[in-house]
């Protein structure tokens, strides 16, 4: 149905104008019309840098989800221009209750960073000293420093999208910081009070920056000795590592923010801070709390009416830099010995045995500002933790058939076995092992395979992270755009019905703001986490035909099952665990907080055990090289070509053990991925060309034509290359080109969604000069 006069699918900003209006109420689950469509020039029409005005009470949207403004029809929209004057505001054409195509709204993509500014320095030191024929001292030293800056980052908000201290501020039309022209405009429109939905990017942009120092030293002694004509190698070493990280971010001091907005005029007509609450001013705070202005001789009045009109002194008064420090330390002692135990008919039986002790410790140190909770977050307390492991390990290689035995169709057979026992102070004793084989019926063909039981101990971050604040979107299952999707839409609809009844909501029109805008939440670790356990099987085939020199082909199949996966029980897992769960008394719903209108205002995430992962896939590779001299006497140099192809058959995951999804073929997990490389070397010159192919994908395998109009991401190929030259044995120069054809991420991905999967930076060059002393 239309929501504005004259609006049609062809003129309202849809990327695909052939998608009609949704006409079924409630939305039919099988009408073929998607509940969400891609739009051009996407903006958030409910907040603005400089400030957008709303009526002082009531909702922020009209029943048809358009912006709620002023006047008889509630469609008079006003915003503060940068200079503080009030001007008309164009909300664009709304799609839901927060997003619009076009208009003057805020572009959230402006807060999304593609890459960080990073400066790195690395120093390596290596040393060896032969102290005896059987012993050698060695040392490895590393120092690494990195300085990073988030060039674009989230800002502070006072917006209708958020609750608590980040909700809109309510002002009276008589507030002393309003300009005379703004007061006149308010009076002309009959506005006595208003709420201000503001993006405070002129006040406090996080712009996180940090430094990381890593120091590592390894000192040890190794050597060899003979027993009964057998050589044994041994090594004893100690490894010491330390990571010091300091993170800085900008934050608002909420008490000072309150002080600076409560102002009055003194006898000379100057605007000054006051401890008497300013009439009509309502500064939101954490749920159920109230902050009153306090006397502070350093207080500077804060002007939020316009962008950049606040004084530097006011900005300095209400905002500042917080400092968080984390320290990670690792100490490892290792001793091992290996050599030939005895000889069998097919050759020597080699083995290695050892012991290891490892200690991991970490400390999180917030500054006083965070500990006292002076910002808009709950108090963040410091934390520390450590654990120690004692380990014994061994491995053995047993040859049963050797080529020298000259057996028909039995050229080579080798068995391998590995074992490790880990005793951890966190979660007790666990065993890991691997056993496998290498079998060649003939010289050209080799079969290989192994089975592995492995574990992953919980990391310090997963164990000891204190409750910290995050911002995240939540794919609210009861949103009208989501209620007919999921792995069991009927169950989801049934579970959402009590929610609709409780809050008096219409299932066909309810739009959750948390779907498209971040809401505050918490993240915490758990010191009771268990080890992850995985069982893996790998079988493969290698073909090296004697008839074709330097040709090798291989194929491998992989099967991995992980139980008790350690993962962040994130917003998606919590939401689906609550509303896609046949058990209405499940523990997931208690992690979601809603306000009186049913909107999600908070969510508690954290690291947990209990999930599963199932992986099935196979890969193939071809490598071939030849001398061009063999092709023609007029040619020279060596040419190489390599091709690798992998196929993802299954990638089933579940964090909550309520919903298990097969992610094979989704964004970031394309079923088909391949690489091809070409190389040429002649004398001192080298040329390379590399191509990376990523197959098509979906945004989610659980979506259908009912949920999204563009669900598929096309295949993508990226070409890169380089040219280099060795001038002599000491000097080499290399010019590399990444993204040779300047390919953009496939439509309709944004830079943020494509980051880490596709190239988002475009064509770029790097020149490397190496000189050996």
């Amino acid at each position: 149905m239309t929501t504005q006069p004259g609006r049609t699918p062809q003129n309202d900003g849809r990327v695909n104008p052939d998608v009609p209006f949704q006409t079924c109420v409630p939305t039919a689950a099988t009408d073929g019309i998607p509940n969400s469509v891609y739009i051009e020039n996407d903006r958030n029409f409910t907040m603005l840098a400089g400030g957008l005005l709303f009526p002082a009470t009531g909702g922020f949207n009209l029943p048809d989800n358009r912006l709620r403004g002023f006047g008889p029809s509630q469609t008079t929209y006003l915003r503060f221009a940068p200079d503080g004057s009030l001007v008309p505001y164009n909300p664009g054409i709304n799609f839901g209750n927060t997003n619009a195509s076009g208009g003057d709204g805020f572009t959230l993509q402006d807060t999304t960073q593609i890459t960080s500014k990073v400066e790195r320095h690395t120093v390596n030191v290596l040393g060896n000293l032969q102290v005896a024929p059987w012993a050698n001292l060695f040392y490895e030293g590393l120092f690494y420093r990195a300085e990073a800056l988030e060039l674009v980052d989230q800002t502070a908000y006072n917006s209708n999208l958020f609750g608590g201290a980040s909700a809109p501020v309510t002002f009276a039309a008589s507030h002393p910081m309003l300009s005379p022209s703004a007061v006149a405009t308010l009076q002309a429109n009959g506005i006595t009070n208003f709420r201000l939905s503001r993006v405070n990017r002129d006040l406090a942009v996080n712009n996180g920056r940090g430094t990381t120092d890593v120091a590592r030293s390894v000192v040890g002694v190794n050597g060899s000795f003979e027993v009964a004509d057998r050589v044994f190698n041994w090594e004893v070493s100690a490894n010491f590592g330390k990571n010091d990280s300091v993170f800085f971010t900008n934050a608002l001091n909420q008490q000072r923010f309150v002080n600076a907005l409560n102002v009055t005029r003194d006898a000379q007509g100057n605007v000054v801070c006051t401890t008497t609450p300013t009439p009509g001013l309502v500064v939101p705070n954490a749920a159920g709390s109230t902050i009153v202005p306090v006397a502070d001789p350093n207080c500077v009045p804060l002007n939020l009416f316009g962008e950049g009109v606040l004084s530097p002194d006011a900005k300095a008064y209400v905002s500042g830099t917080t400092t968080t420090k984390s320290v990670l330390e690792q100490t490892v002692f290792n001793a091992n010995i290996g050599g030939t135990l005895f000889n069998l008919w097919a050759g020597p039986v080699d083995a290695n045995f050892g012991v290891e002790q490892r200690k991991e410790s970490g400390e999180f140190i917030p500054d006083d500002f965070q500990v006292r909770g002076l910002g808009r977050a709950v108090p963040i307390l410091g934390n520390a933790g450590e654990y120690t492991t004692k380990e014994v390990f061994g491995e053995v290689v047993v040859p049963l058939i050797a080529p020298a035995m000259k057996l028909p169709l039995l050229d080579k057979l080798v068995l391998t076995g590995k074992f490790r026992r880990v005793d951890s102070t966190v979660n007790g004793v666990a065993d890991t092992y691997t056993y496998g084989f290498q079998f060649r019926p003939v010289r050209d063909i080799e079969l290989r395979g192994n089975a592995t039981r492995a574990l992953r101990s919980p990391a310090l971050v997963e164990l000891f992270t204190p409750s910290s604040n995050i911002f995240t979107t939540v794919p609210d299952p009861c949103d009208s755009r989501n209620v007919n999707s999921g792995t069991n839409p009927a169950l989801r609809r049934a579970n959402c019905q009590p929610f609709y009844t409780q809050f008096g909501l219409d299932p066909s029109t309810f739009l959750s703001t948390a779907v498209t805008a971040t809401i505050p939440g918490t993240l915490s670790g758990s010191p009771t986490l268990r080890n992850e356990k995985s069982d893996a099987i790998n079988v493969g085939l290698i073909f090296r035909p004697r008839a074709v020199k330097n040709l090798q082909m291989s194929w491998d199949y992989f099967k991995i099952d992980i139980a008790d996966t350690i993962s962040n029980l994130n917003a998606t897992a919590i939401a689906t665990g609550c509303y896609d769960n046949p058990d209405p008394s499940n523990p997931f719903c208690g992690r979601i907080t809603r306000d009186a209108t049913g909107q999600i205002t908070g969510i508690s995430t954290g690291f947990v055990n209990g999930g599963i992962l199932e992986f099935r896939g196979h890969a193939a590779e071809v490598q071939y090289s030849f001398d061009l001299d063999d092709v023609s006497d007029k040619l020279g140099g060596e040419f190489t070509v390599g091709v690798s192809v992998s196929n993802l058959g299954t990638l089933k995951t579940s964090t909550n053990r309520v919903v298990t999804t097969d992610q094979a073929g989704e964004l970031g997990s394309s079923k088909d991925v391949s690489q091809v490389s070409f190389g040429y070397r002649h004398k001192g010159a080298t040329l390379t060309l590399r191509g990376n192919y990523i197959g098509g994908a979906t945004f989610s395998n659980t979506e259908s034509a009912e949920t999204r109009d563009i669900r598929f991401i096309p295949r993508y190929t990226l070409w890169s290359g380089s040219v280099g030259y060795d001038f002599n044995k000491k000097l080499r120069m290399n010019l590399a080109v990444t993204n040779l054809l300047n390919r953009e991420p496939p439509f309709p991905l944004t830079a943020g969604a494509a980051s880490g999967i596709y190239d988002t930076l475009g064509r770029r060059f790097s020149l490397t000069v190496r000189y050996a002393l």
Side-chain angles (χ1 to χ4, degrees):
M1 56 186 172
T2 63
T3 56
Q4 286 92 12
R7 178 176 180 177
T8 69
Q10 288 70 38
N11 67 15
D12 67 2
R14 297 168 190 242
V15 170
N16 181 4
D18 295 328
V19 178
F21 291 117
Q22 183 66 265
T23 57
C24 300
V25 180
T27 301
T30 57
D31 62 4
I33 301 176
N35 299 331
S36 296
V37 296
Y38 276 93
I39 59 176
E40 298 175 335
N41 194 11
D42 179 24
R43 295 171 177 265
N44 187 294
F45 68 87
T46 67
M47 60 184 182
L48 197 66
L52 174 64
L53 278 66
F54 284 96
T57 59
F60 295 96
N61 297 87
L62 297 172
D64 60 9
N65 289 316
R66 283 183 295 166
L67 197 66
R68 178 170 172 251
F70 301 91
S73 63
Q74 302 184 87
T75 55
T76 297
Y77 307 121
L78 297 172
R79 67 178 177 92
F80 281 103
D83 64 358
S85 61
L86 279 173
V87 297
Y89 171 71
N90 176 14
I93 300 178
N94 72 290
F95 285 81
N97 58 355
T98 58
N99 292 76
S101 177
D104 302 329
F106 185 67
T107 305
L108 285 171
Q109 285 296 323
D110 291 343
T111 66
T112 301
Q113 179 166 274
I114 298 176
T115 186
S116 300
K117 178 182 178 182
V118 181
E119 185 175 320
R120 301 181 179 92
H121 304 274
T122 305
V123 178
N124 289 284
V125 179
L126 302 174
N128 285 278
L129 178 62
Q130 188 78 36
V131 296
W134 49 270
N136 175 67
L137 291 174
F138 64 89
Y139 174 80
E140 299 177 15
L142 165 71
F143 177 78
Y144 167 85
R145 161 162 281 204
E147 298 178 359
L149 171 67
E150 299 292 320
L151 300 173
V152 178
D153 208 341
Q154 285 289 339
T155 180
Y157 295 91
N158 281 102
S159 164
N160 69 303
L161 297 181
F162 307 110
S166 296
V169 180
T170 302
F171 294 92
S174 59
H175 193 277
M177 296 299 288
L178 286 165
S179 67
S181 66
V183 172
T185 302
L186 292 170
Q187 291 175 347
N189 286 274
I191 301 172
T192 57
N193 298 82
F194 61 90
R195 285 173 291 182
L196 190 67
S197 183
R198 192 177 195 273
V199 179
N200 297 321
R201 65 183 181 188
D202 58 350
L203 191 59
V205 178
N206 291 336
N207 282 126
R209 59 186 177 90
T211 61
T212 298
D213 292 332
V214 178
R216 177 176 176 267
S217 293
V218 181
V219 60
V221 57
N222 57 26
S224 61
F225 60 90
E226 289 189 19
V227 175
D229 296 328
R230 294 187 177 88
V231 177
F232 290 86
N233 299 305
W234 59 275
E235 179 179 293
V236 178
S237 65
N239 185 330
F240 306 93
K242 185 176 183 179
N243 181 310
D244 277 301
S245 296
V246 183
F247 184 72
F248 307 91
T249 188
N250 299 319
L252 286 177
N253 184 311
Q254 186 65 6
Q255 178 64 69
R256 291 186 174 187
F257 185 74
V258 171
N259 294 346
L261 290 179
N262 281 275
V263 295
T264 188
R265 291 190 181 272
D266 62 14
Q268 290 74 38
N270 300 313
V271 179
V272 295
C273 298
T274 177
T275 57
T276 301
T278 300
L281 177 67
V282 180
V283 182
N285 293 297
S289 68
T290 301
I291 300 180
V292 297
V294 297
D296 185 350
N298 298 315
C299 181
V300 181
L302 177 64
N303 187 354
L304 295 182
F305 307 126
E307 184 177 11
V309 294
L310 54 91
S311 69
D313 290 340
K315 178 178 180 179
Y317 175 68
V318 301
S319 63
T321 302
T322 65
T323 304
T324 304
K325 184 177 181 180
S326 66
V327 181
L328 300 175
E329 294 185 343
Q330 181 187 72
T331 303
V332 181
F333 297 99
N334 181 286
N336 65 84
I337 183 172
T340 299
L341 299 181
F342 52 86
N343 290 320
L344 289 179
W345 53 88
V349 176
D350 294 326
N352 182 273
F353 303 96
V355 295
E356 184 172 286
Q357 178 173 298
R358 179 162 50 96
K359 180 181 179 180
E360 305 267 1
S361 63
E363 186 175 11
F364 175 79
I365 310 168
D367 62 10
D368 181 68
F369 182 94
Q370 297 170 88
V371 172
R372 295 168 60 192
L374 299 179
R376 293 185 167 182
V378 297
I380 301 175
L381 304 179
N383 200 4
E386 66 179 42
Y387 68 88
T388 301
T389 66
K390 296 178 180 179
E391 307 176 28
V392 294
F393 58 88
E395 57 183 293
V396 62
V397 179
V398 181
L400 296 180
I401 299 173
M405 297 171 67
K406 300 186 181 302
L407 298 175
L409 298 180
L410 295 172
D411 186 62
K412 178 182 178 181
L413 176 61
V414 177
L415 302 182
T416 59
K418 301 177 183 180
F419 175 83
R420 180 178 290 256
R421 167 160 288 188
V422 181
D423 186 357
S424 171
T425 56
V426 173
N427 44 34
V429 177
D431 296 328
T432 67
Y433 53 82
T434 296
Y435 54 89
F437 71 92
Q438 293 174 281
F439 173 58
R440 282 202 319 238
V442 294
R443 282 179 53 192
D444 309 74
I445 300 174
E446 179 176 307
L447 302 174
R448 59 189 179 188
N450 60 65
T452 300
R453 160 64 64 86
L455 65 83
R456 184 180 79 84
S457 299
L460 288 169
V461 171
E462 297 164 337
L463 287 166
F464 303 117
T465 293
S467 181
S468 56
N469 293 281
I470 62 172
F471 286 90
T472 180
T473 58
V474 182
D476 192 341
C478 298
D479 183 287
S480 59
R481 295 162 291 188
N482 298 332
V483 70
N484 290 314
S485 59
T487 55
N488 189 338
L491 177 61
R492 176 177 290 190
R493 288 193 297 271
N495 284 338
C496 284
Q497 189 55 53
F499 160 74
Y500 298 136
T501 302
Q502 177 186 355
F503 291 96
L505 299 172
D506 185 342
S508 66
T509 60
F510 172 65
L511 297 176
S512 177
T513 56
V515 172
T516 53
T518 58
I519 56 100
T522 59
L523 169 67
S524 60
S526 173
T528 61
L529 290 174
R530 303 180 300 277
N531 292 325
E532 287 185 349
K533 295 180 181 179
S534 71
D535 291 297
I537 295 176
N538 166 224
V539 293
L541 170 69
I542 303 176
F543 179 48
R544 304 183 185 94
R546 282 168 285 179
V548 184
K549 182 181 178 182
N550 297 328
L551 172 63
Q552 176 174 301
M553 295 181 285
S554 64
W555 173 87
D556 286 277
Y557 171 78
F558 306 94
K559 175 185 176 184
I560 303 173
D561 294 307
I562 304 178
D564 277 347
T565 58
I566 302 170
S567 54
N568 178 13
L569 188 68
N570 59 20
T572 299
I574 293 171
T576 57
C578 173
Y579 292 101
D580 293 345
N581 199 323
D583 178 10
S585 60
N586 66 79
F588 301 101
C589 295
R591 290 174 173 261
I592 300 173
T593 303
R594 295 182 184 268
D595 63 16
T597 66
Q599 294 292 345
I600 296 177
T601 57
I603 191 164
S604 300
T605 69
F607 292 101
V608 296
N609 279 111
I612 60 170
L613 184 147
E614 297 178 8
F615 175 90
R616 308 287 186 272
H618 56 85
E621 185 175 5
V622 177
Q623 296 287 338
Y624 182 51
S625 64
F626 60 91
D627 291 328
L628 292 178
D629 290 331
D630 298 336
V631 178
S632 172
D633 295 337
K634 297 180 180 180
L635 300 175
E638 183 183 48
F639 182 79
T640 61
V641 59
V643 179
S644 61
V645 179
S646 61
N647 177 265
L648 177 58
T650 300
L651 181 59
K652 292 183 179 181
T653 62
S654 177
T655 302
N656 53 28
R657 283 192 178 265
V658 174
V659 176
T660 300
T661 59
D662 190 349
Q663 298 176 352
E666 291 186 347
L667 175 63
S669 302
S670 293
K671 290 188 175 182
D672 298 305
V673 177
S674 61
Q675 297 83 34
V676 61
S677 63
F678 304 95
Y680 173 71
R681 184 176 184 88
H682 183 53
K683 297 181 179 178
T686 58
L687 295 171
T688 65
L689 179 65
R690 302 176 302 278
N692 291 277
Y693 169 84
I694 301 176
T698 66
F699 286 94
S700 172
N701 289 336
T702 62
E703 290 187 326
S704 67
E706 299 296 322
T707 57
R708 189 196 297 255
D709 62 334
I710 302 176
R711 294 178 289 133
F712 301 100
I713 304 161
R715 58 184 181 268
Y716 179 84
T717 303
L718 183 76
W719 289 97
S720 300
S722 67
V723 55
Y725 188 75
D726 293 322
F727 292 91
N728 49 51
K729 293 183 178 180
K730 293 185 176 181
L731 178 62
R732 174 172 175 77
M733 184 177 294
N734 190 79
L735 175 65
V737 184
T738 303
N739 197 346
L740 196 63
L741 302 179
N742 201 28
R743 286 290 306 275
E744 295 181 353
F747 179 83
L749 290 178
T750 61
S755 179
I757 305 171
Y758 306 96
D759 186 83
T760 58
L761 300 179
R763 185 189 298 118
R764 53 201 182 275
F765 303 85
S766 65
L767 178 64
T768 303
V769 179
R770 186 180 64 192
Y771 185 78
L773 298 176

